Amino acid sequence: MEKKIKKQNTKIEMTKLFIEVRDLILSARKAVVQTVDALQVITNFEIGRRIVEYEQKGKQRAEYGEILIKSLSNKLTKEFGNGFSKRNLEYIRKFYLVYQDRTVRIAQTLSAQS
């Protein structure tokens, strides 16, 4: 009888250990995803900023912006693969233009998430 109780206690302890370890792993994975998402937002914002600064050089809208984005897309796609299509770079550029005046708020939000 005593062995049976000891075996049950061991089983309960192992279950508790499993749950604790599983929760740690799930928590870490969630933190990694949030950090990666935050870094992706920051990276896209900076890519957009650099595109706008390069193409405009103080002007409202550069005439050669389409050529610039297409060329940049081709080079980035060759080196890094998918994710840098002309359309994506246009969205990234637009993302910067929409949120450029809110950079402090974006940075605060992202740092709070990570």
Side-chain angles (χ1 to χ4, degrees), residues 2 6 9 15 24-25 35 37-38 55 57 60-61 64 70 78 86 89 91 103-104 111 113:
E2 208 172 292
K6 194 171 185 178
N9 286 342
T15 301
L24 281 172
I25 292 168
T35 301
D37 287 348
E55 74 179 354
K57 296 190 183 183
Q60 192 67 347
R61 174 101 166 101
Y64 58 89
K70 187 174 183 176
K78 279 182 184 175
K86 180 178 174 282
L89 291 180
Y91 286 142
T103 56
V104 173
S111 65
Q113 287 179 355

Side-chain angles (χ1 to χ4, degrees), residues 17 36 58 62 98:
L17 175 63
V36 168
V98 169

Side-chain angles (χ1 to χ4, degrees), residues 34-35 38-39 41-42 103-114:
Q34 289 175 337
T35 301
L39 286 172
V41 169
I42 292 168
T103 56
V104 173
R105 231 180 312 163
I106 289 172
Q108 289 170 344
T109 302
L110 293 174
S111 65
Q113 287 179 355
S114 56

Side-chain angles (χ1 to χ4, degrees), residues 3-15:
K3 279 188 174 185
K4 192 174 183 181
I5 293 173
K6 194 171 185 178
K7 194 174 183 179
Q8 283 178 331
N9 286 342
T10 302
K11 193 172 182 179
I12 291 170
E13 289 174 13
M14 284 298 295
T15 301

